[in-house]
RNA sequence: GGGGACGUGGCGGAAUGGUAGACGCAGCGGACUUAAAAUCCGCAGCCGCAAGGUGUGUGGGUUCGAGUCCCACCGUCCCUACCA
């Protein structure tokens, strides 16, 4: 017997598939149904990690499965290649972002190819190539023309050391994630995409995505945060402040509680607050103090409500004799609603906290069921539950919803306000003051204003001669790049030096894959053939931003006529992370981690222990954590490929946990997968069995097992339950031992079993499967072989083992042919010796026979 | 504060309301070997010599039958956040 050697076998088959162009997808309709499978494309950080191995293997399993089932499969790969790490490398090591990026891509491409994934590499592109980002500039200008792109002055996080804007995610506890400097709020003119125009469509579209996880749909819905309420204006007592002649506008979702109003509060950034601050140092000091509060979780949790009574009073909209004080309050946000609220402390916790602190009135207007109006009191907790409105004039006695409608109607009749829908979602700020991104293709002209770069001058390419020796945007200090003549008037003008947020790059790449050489952004015919993506796979960390942006851009491009689909991803699967045990040295003051490669694991008295290989020093086995350099629990894919083969790595990472959950990498686990690979090979690496008469009964038994396996494995892939399917494959190999190759009496059924088995493992261990297929004399390659077809007739059991319960506890079992009449089964069950022991002294009250399943005897 | 997910052996986990613990890891025993590794065969929830009992976070409920469905509680993890 020849031992299986992945080192020889695996490269051979990868080369064979590549030479034959096996995975090249055709844009021509060949009659087969199309299937577009896509994993979120990687950022070219330099090396692939186990998370990539898991992600791309998962997609590959589905791709190979669908292909075998007769689909025309598109499975492309690209690179999300713009972004800060390349510039950081440039600043730290003096390399150029472009060179650094393409070197990383080259290295990672080779690693991904090692993984044996069935990628159509002919469609590969990187977002940092002008051929890609130039097309992005083209549709950006189309959206600009449509009015979906605009500029406005916005507050941004400014890193005073790096001289750049930071995304919210890059601000940690108020400091820049790289420089550690305290982040400043600055007002800058920024570019925005009008995603809020699509807020309703993006919420409503979620209901069509029935193959998305509920969790992700819910997260998006919460992120968009649609709420319905009332927007109305308070009139001022006395002369209105300048600019507020029409009144002070507020937004509320609880107009039913208007008679519980206690005060009005405005955000520290509200124009009225700024106006007052300009006139009064006291107000200015208060506003400044509000700004200092941090935005971290702990700070918000403990942040005290701060308020400043402006002395201004407004008139209650339903009672001209009733006036309310206007406060500046730190808990009111300028960028939600109108930046001003009316407060009803009895029924809102924040309002209540504030009212108690500043001794403002608390008047309940919602009476809980079973509470009495004379005795109902508000203590330190606001009442937000259901109830009946009271203390509220015309709304008295109404339910909450009816009262909301009545209040809105009254306000509309008074022409003082109207029902309004408000979103949490903000327009998408896409300006970055960075070099390594898509240049925004616009020219600023003193005479003409903003001028789009003419189509025949696209792409606007990044200059390569830039320096990173100083902080700030290299494009801004480039000696010549930005100085151009105005395309409109020919006068001196300047290019926009902001580049696009990299999330723009990833919000349409799936459409570009349909035809990456298209002369326009999207080849519509090709996109119509492939889109939507039938199955998208990636990390849950993109549940909101990337997936929301991609949905938005798809809808915008559809409205522009470039695409036909409204939703880019029909199916979404979010996979878990790859984790690993950590190992720590004992008796060190702070955690001192040790890399798995330096650790030797053993068992002492049945308990797992870890030792330092070099010295034998005993180590603690720590928590299981996401693989990270800081925890030193990273395992490099290439080391695993070398040691156990690619197929073993693929198999283990798919077998150990359900795909949506974290998988715990372990040496023992991958060794087990490697053992399985070797055992599979041994099963095929045998002499043909001697000719003999076939044993019909045993052959049928093997065929039953084979077809049950086909059903189980097929369903496990369709339902993303890879771990269960792989367990069935392991189980089957154990069953196969009962039908050895030396037994000529089952040779035909065994041949069928091996043929099916080989095709069923092919998505997981494609190299091994090819080798086995070749060994057994299969026609062509297994990669081109059709998926085995399940035959229910061959899978049907002739004789069943039916458990017999007495009062719900298993007491025996009977054997009966499938479909045996109930009366017969009942008689068999009552006659069973194990059962009769437990029936002694009892009277049988009832016998429940579930056909072909179970018998339960009720007795007392 | 709001939302969500999950609690099953030593571990990862399996189980259309129908034999709980498949499959794997770790463990134990055996074969082969001078020996070890590798490989192969076997055992294995827990208590018990056994018969048997007991068992899916806790307590109730529905059902002939509950890991699965319902209610309450406990615990863990994730997301989100002064969003009016």
């Amino acid at each position: 017997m020849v031992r299986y050697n992945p080192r020889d076998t695996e490269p051979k088959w990868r080369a064979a598939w590549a030479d034959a162009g096996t995975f090249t997808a055709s844009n021509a309709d060949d009659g087969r149904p199309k299937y577009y499978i896509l994993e979120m494309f990687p950022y070219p950080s330099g090396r692939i990690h186990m998370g990539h191995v898991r992600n791309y293997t998962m997609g590959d399993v589905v791709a190979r499965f669908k292909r075998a089932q007769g689909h025309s499969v598109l499975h492309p790969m690209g690179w999300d290649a713009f972004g800060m790490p390349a510039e950081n490398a440039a600043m730290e090591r003096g390399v150029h972002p472009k060179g650094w990026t393409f070197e990383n891509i080259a290295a990672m491409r080779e690693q991904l190819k090692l993984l044996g994934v069935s990628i159509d590499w002919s469609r590969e592109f990187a977002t940092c190539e002008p051929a890609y980002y130039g097309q992005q500039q083209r549709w950006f200008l189309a959206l600009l023309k449509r009015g979906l792109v605009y500029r406005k002055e916005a507050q941004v996080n400014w890193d005073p050391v790096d001289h750049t804007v930071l995304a919210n995610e890059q601000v940690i506890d108020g400091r820049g994630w790289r420089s550690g400097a305290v982040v400043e709020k600055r007002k800058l003119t920024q570019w925005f995409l009008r995603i809020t125009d699509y807020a309703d469509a993006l919420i409503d579209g979620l209901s069509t995505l029935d193959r998305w996880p509920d969790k992700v749909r819910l997260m998006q819905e919460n992120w968009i945060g649609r709420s319905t309420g009332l927007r109305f204006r308070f009139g001022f007592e006395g002369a209105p402040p300048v600019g507020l002649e029409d009144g002070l506008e507020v937004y509320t979702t609880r107009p039913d509680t208007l008679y519980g109003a206690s005060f009005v509060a405005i955000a520290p950034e509200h124009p009225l607050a700024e106006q007052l601050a300009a006139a009064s140092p006291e107000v200015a000091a208060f506003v400044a103090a509000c700004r200092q509060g941090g935005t971290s979780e702990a700070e918000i949790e403990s942040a005290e409500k701060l308020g400043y009574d402006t002395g201004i009073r407004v008139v209650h909209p339903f009672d001209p004799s009733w006036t309310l004080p206007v406060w500046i309050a730190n808990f009111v946000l300028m960028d939600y609603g109108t930046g001003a609220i009316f407060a009803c402390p009895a029924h809102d916790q924040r309002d209540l906290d504030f009212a108690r602190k500043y001794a403002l009135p608390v008047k309940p207007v919602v009476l809980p069921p079973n509470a009495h109006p004379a005795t109902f009191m508000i203590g330190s907790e606001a009442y937000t539950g259901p109830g009946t409105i009271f203390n509220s004039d015309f709304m008295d006695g109404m339910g909450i919803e009816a009262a909301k409608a009545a209040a809105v109607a009254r306000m509309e009749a008074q022409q003082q306000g109207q029902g309004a829908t408000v979103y949490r979602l903000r327009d998408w700020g896409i300006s970055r003051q960075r070099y390594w991104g898509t240049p925004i293709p616009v020219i600023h002209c003193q005479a003409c204003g903003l001028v789009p770069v003419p189509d025949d001058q696209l792409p606007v390419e990044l200059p390569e001669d830039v320096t990173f020796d100083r902080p700030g945007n290299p494009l801004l200090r480039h000696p010549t790049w930005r100085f151009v003549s105005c395309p409109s008037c020919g006068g001196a003008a300047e290019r926009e030096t902001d580049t696009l947020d990299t999330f723009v790059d990833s919000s349409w790449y799936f459409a570009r894959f349909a035809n990456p050489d298209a002369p326009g952004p999207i080849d519509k015919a090709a996109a119509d053939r492939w889109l939507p993506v039938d199955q998208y796979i990636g990390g849950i960390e993109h549940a909101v931003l990337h997936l929301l942006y991609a949905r938005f851009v798809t809808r915008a491009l559809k409205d522009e006529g470039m695409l036909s689909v409204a939703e880019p991803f029909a199916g979404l699967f979010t996979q878990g992370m790859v984790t690993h045990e950590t190992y720590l040295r004992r008796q060190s003051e702070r955690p001192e981690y040790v890399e798995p490669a330096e650790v030797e694991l053993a068992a002492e008295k049945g308990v797992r222990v870890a030792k330092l290989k070099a010295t034998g020093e005993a180590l603690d086995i720590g928590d299981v954590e996401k693989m990270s350099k800081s925890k030193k629990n990273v395992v490099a894919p290439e080391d695993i490929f070398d040691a156990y083969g690619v197929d073993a790595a693929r198999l283990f990472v798919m077998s150990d946990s359900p795909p949506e959950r974290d998988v715990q990498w372990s040496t023992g686990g991958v060794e087990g997968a490697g053992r399985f690979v070797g055992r599979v090979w041994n099963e095929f690496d045998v002499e043909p069995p001697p000719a003999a008469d076939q044993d019909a009964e045993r052959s049928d038994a093997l065929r039953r097992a084979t077809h049950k396996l086909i059903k189980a494995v097929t369903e496990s892939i369709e339902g993303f339950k890879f771990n269960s399917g792989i367990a069935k494959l392991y189980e089957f190999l154990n069953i196969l031992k009962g039908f050895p190759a030396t037994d000529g009496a089952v040779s035909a059924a065994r041949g069928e079993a091996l043929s099916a088995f080989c095709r069923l493992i092919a998505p997981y261990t494609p190299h091994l499967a090819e080798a086995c297929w070749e060994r057994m004399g299969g026609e062509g390659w297994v990669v081109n072989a059709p998926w085995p077809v399940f035959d229910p007739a061959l899978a049907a059991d002739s004789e069943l083992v039916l458990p017999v319960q007495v009062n719900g506890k298993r007491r025996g079992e009977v054997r009966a042919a499938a479909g045996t009449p109930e009366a017969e089964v009942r008689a068999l069950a009552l006659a069973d010796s194990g059962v009769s022991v437990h029936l002694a002294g009892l009277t049988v009250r009832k016998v429940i026979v579930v056909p072909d399943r179970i018998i339960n005897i009720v007795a007392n």
Side-chain angles (χ1 to χ4, degrees):
Chain A
M1 209 148 54
V2 182
R3 223 179 127 96
Y4 182 64
N5 185 353
R7 279 177 219 213
D8 298 337
T9 308
E10 290 178 344
K12 174 182 140 187
W13 287 106
R14 281 196 294 271
W17 300 325
D19 290 348
T22 303
F23 306 121
T24 306
S26 166
N27 279 2
D29 185 352
D30 58 7
R32 292 181 298 167
K34 72 94 183 176
Y35 194 86
Y36 186 178
I37 169 101
L38 184 67
E39 304 91 54
M40 291 178 186
F41 66 167
Y43 178 80
S45 56
R47 319 292 299 168
I48 67 165
H49 52 67
M50 280 299 171
H52 291 124
V53 170
R54 192 180 197 199
N55 194 194
Y56 297 118
T57 300
M58 205 175 285
D60 194 46
V61 168
V62 175
R64 287 174 178 270
F65 168 70
K66 286 289 173 184
R67 199 166 170 280
Q69 280 197 322
H71 289 79
S72 177
V73 170
L74 174 59
H75 187 204
M77 179 62 67
W79 308 95
D80 190 13
F82 273 138
M84 277 297 287
E87 284 191 59
N88 292 340
M91 286 183 267
E92 286 161 12
R93 280 177 268 158
V95 292
H96 194 279
K98 182 178 172 182
W100 182 85
T101 301
F102 279 102
E103 273 173 32
N104 287 350
I105 288 173
M108 289 177 74
R109 183 193 297 117
E110 288 319 300
Q111 289 182 299
L112 274 181
K113 285 187 173 177
L114 280 184
L115 193 56
V117 283
S118 60
I119 298 287
D120 178 357
W121 286 102
S122 72
R123 295 175 190 247
E124 177 192 4
F125 59 74
T127 57
C128 63
E129 292 160 0
Y132 181 80
Y133 71 71
Q135 299 299 346
Q136 184 163 300
Q137 291 169 337
R138 197 158 266 137
W139 69 247
F140 176 87
L141 291 177
L143 297 196
L144 177 66
K145 207 170 169 187
R146 275 186 91 71
L148 287 174
V149 180
Y150 68 99
R151 297 175 88 212
K152 75 168 180 195
E153 196 172 65
Q155 212 169 62
V156 295
N157 306 306
W158 181 260
D159 187 318
V161 172
D162 281 356
H163 293 259
T164 185
V165 165
L166 298 175
N168 284 330
E169 307 81 57
Q170 296 167 338
V171 181
I172 298 154
D173 290 336
R175 289 171 181 274
W177 65 290
R178 237 182 68 79
S179 68
V182 175
V183 168
E184 295 170 8
K185 296 278 181 199
R186 274 210 188 175
K187 281 203 162 178
L188 281 183
T189 300
Q190 300 274 289
W191 291 88
F192 287 85
L193 281 175
R194 229 179 269 281
I195 190 172
T196 52
D197 274 13
Y198 286 76
D200 279 320
L202 289 168
I203 284 191
D204 297 343
L206 289 172
S207 62
T208 68
L209 300 175
D210 57 335
R211 290 199 296 116
W212 277 42
D214 291 342
K215 182 184 180 175
V216 175
R217 290 191 292 182
L218 193 69
M219 283 167 78
Q220 292 214 349
E221 197 177 324
N222 291 340
W223 187 265
I224 298 167
R226 178 161 63 189
S227 74
T228 54
L230 170 69
R231 198 192 285 269
F232 70 97
R233 295 177 305 281
F234 278 104
F236 288 92
E237 183 188 48
V242 180
L244 291 168
E245 288 77 11
D246 290 338
L248 178 63
E249 191 170 50
V250 302
Y251 171 74
T252 181
T253 56
R254 294 298 300 274
D256 54 313
T257 64
L258 262 166
Y259 279 92
S262 167
F263 60 96
V264 169
I266 60 175
E269 299 83 14
H270 193 278
L272 176 55
E274 291 187 337
Q275 197 180 124
L276 295 169
S280 152
E282 203 185 347
V283 177
F286 175 78
V287 168
C290 288
R291 250 182 218 147
Q292 289 194 339
T295 51
S296 76
E297 188 179 327
E299 282 168 309
I300 287 172
E301 198 74 51
S302 61
E304 201 171 340
K305 301 271 182 294
L306 294 177
Y308 181 91
D309 187 353
T310 63
I312 296 171
R313 295 188 79 86
V314 293
V315 181
H316 193 284
F318 295 154
D319 182 353
S321 68
W322 180 3
T323 64
L324 301 164
V326 176
W327 288 68
I328 302 170
N330 65 340
F331 70 93
V332 180
L333 304 177
M334 188 58 220
D335 52 5
Y336 183 78
T338 62
I341 61 162
F342 94 83
C344 174
H347 305 293
D348 183 286
Q349 190 61 46
R350 293 156 303 172
D351 297 351
L352 184 63
D353 293 345
F354 192 85
R356 292 296 186 220
K357 177 165 178 182
Y358 293 104
L360 292 157
V362 177
K363 174 185 168 193
V365 290
V366 179
L367 189 65
N370 307 321
H372 195 275
T375 55
F376 178 59
M377 304 267 290
I378 297 291
S380 59
E381 252 178 66
Y383 179 73
T384 56
T388 311
I389 305 295
F390 73 128
N391 292 337
S392 294
D393 191 55
F394 70 95
M395 290 187 276
D396 280 351
M398 293 181 182
I400 288 174
E401 290 311 312
K404 282 180 181 173
V408 171
R410 170 76 66 102
M411 203 71 81
E412 287 177 350
Q414 288 175 206
Q415 300 200 332
Q416 214 174 327
Q418 69 246 325
T421 302
V422 165
Y423 303 89
R424 210 186 76 109
L425 182 71
R426 315 261 193 278
D427 275 337
W428 176 12
I430 49 173
S431 282
R432 296 291 179 269
Q433 291 69 42
R434 303 303 332 168
Y435 164 74
W436 196 231
T438 301
I440 293 176
V442 172
I443 289 163
H444 300 269
C445 171
Q446 288 273 327
C448 311
L450 285 179
V451 183
V453 173
D455 195 73
D456 61 7
Q457 291 174 29
L458 293 178
V460 175
E461 288 197 42
L462 287 170
E464 292 196 19
D465 52 336
V466 284
T467 55
F468 295 90
D469 51 343
R470 277 174 294 158
N473 184 354
L475 289 178
L476 195 57
R477 59 168 182 263
H478 189 279
T480 56
W481 182 77
R482 70 188 159 118
F483 302 106
V484 290
S485 52
C486 171
S488 178
C489 68
E494 286 190 25
R495 287 194 191 283
E496 172 64 58
T497 56
D498 283 358
T499 51
L500 290 173
D501 179 6
T502 56
F503 275 115
V504 178
D505 310 340
S506 56
S507 62
W508 71 290
Y509 75 108
F510 44 86
R512 185 70 183 169
F513 277 136
N515 179 358
D517 303 317
I522 293 164
D523 175 342
K524 200 174 181 192
D528 283 347
R529 163 151 169 76
W530 293 113
L531 290 178
V533 174
D534 294 277
Q535 185 65 59
Y536 197 37
I537 304 176
I540 187 72
E541 66 273 19
H542 294 110
V544 176
L545 296 180
H546 162 57
L547 288 166
L548 191 64
Y549 294 150
R551 294 181 59 221
F552 158 60
V553 168
T554 299
R555 280 172 188 271
L557 295 182
K558 176 177 188 256
D559 291 346
E560 185 58 35
M562 292 186 175
L563 279 173
S564 301
V565 294
E567 291 289 343
F569 312 121
L572 173 70
F573 189 87
T574 52
Q575 102 274 15
M577 300 179 303
V578 181
T579 62
H580 196 291
E581 265 179 347
T582 51
Y583 308 103
L584 298 110
R585 299 189 66 164
R586 293 177 179 168
Q587 289 141 6
S588 56
E589 282 178 24
R590 69 187 84 166
E592 196 180 327
Y593 293 95
V594 179
E595 290 185 12
E598 296 174 32
V599 175
E600 187 171 358
L601 292 167
E604 278 175 13
K605 294 168 193 159
V607 180
R608 291 179 68 236
V609 293
K611 286 178 189 168
L612 205 57
K613 263 184 199 166
T615 62
E617 177 189 332
L619 301 170
D620 284 326
I621 298 178
D623 292 338
V624 174
E625 311 230 28
K626 180 182 183 179
M627 284 190 182
S628 74
K629 280 179 198 157
S630 62
K631 299 274 162 56
K632 292 197 180 174
N633 62 342
V634 177
V635 173
E638 278 179 318
D639 295 346
I640 300 300
F641 296 168
D642 282 348
Y644 306 99
V646 170
D647 282 338
R650 289 173 57 120
L651 188 65
F652 173 65
V653 85
M654 297 300 288
S655 71
D656 204 48
S657 291
E660 68 278 10
R661 251 185 258 179
D662 291 350
V663 65
Q664 186 185 332
W665 186 268
S666 72
T667 306
V670 72
E671 281 171 358
R675 266 197 294 276
F676 177 77
V677 166
R679 284 168 54 210
V680 168
W681 170 251
N682 292 345
E683 212 58 54
F684 285 82
D685 185 25
V686 290
E687 294 301 310
D693 289 340
Q694 297 298 294
D695 179 335
E697 201 173 309
R698 297 188 60 240
S699 295
D700 283 352
L702 180 51
R703 289 195 176 97
R704 271 198 298 281
T706 303
H707 281 268
K708 282 179 179 172
L709 179 73
I710 293 170
K711 183 168 193 275
V713 172
T714 305
E715 287 174 356
S716 72
I717 296 177
E718 283 167 344
F720 274 71
K721 294 178 159 202
F722 308 110
N723 56 321
S724 293
I726 292 170
K728 297 285 183 196
L729 289 164
Y730 275 61
E731 200 179 0
F732 187 79
L733 198 66
N734 293 336
I735 291 171
L736 213 49
K737 280 184 204 140
F739 303 89
T742 48
D743 183 358
V746 292
S747 58
R750 193 173 197 280
E752 292 162 29
L754 288 181
S755 164
F757 183 79
C758 189
R759 286 175 283 162
L760 294 175
I761 57 163
Y764 296 102
T765 57
H767 314 87
L768 170 72
E770 289 294 2
C772 291
W773 190 257
E774 184 179 48
R775 184 96 213 171
M776 64 175 271
E779 192 184 329
W781 295 342
V782 72
V783 72
N784 293 322
W787 194 248
V789 178
F790 170 63
D791 183 342
L794 289 175
D797 286 301
S798 51
E799 190 187 56
L800 301 167
V801 176
L802 305 176
V804 183
Q805 298 179 330
V806 177
N807 293 330
K809 287 188 193 295
R810 185 181 182 280
R811 298 301 183 188
E813 60 185 38
V814 297
R815 291 172 175 279
T820 304
E822 214 175 296
E824 230 172 280
V825 172
R826 170 199 294 244
L828 281 170
L830 290 169
D832 183 79
S833 61
V835 171
S836 51
V837 168
H838 286 91
L839 286 176
L842 300 179
T843 309
V844 173
R845 300 290 172 192
K846 202 171 169 186
V847 179
I848 291 150
V849 177
V850 184
D852 297 348
R853 257 257 132 82
I854 199 167
I855 300 108
N856 191 12
I857 300 166
V858 186
N860 59 18

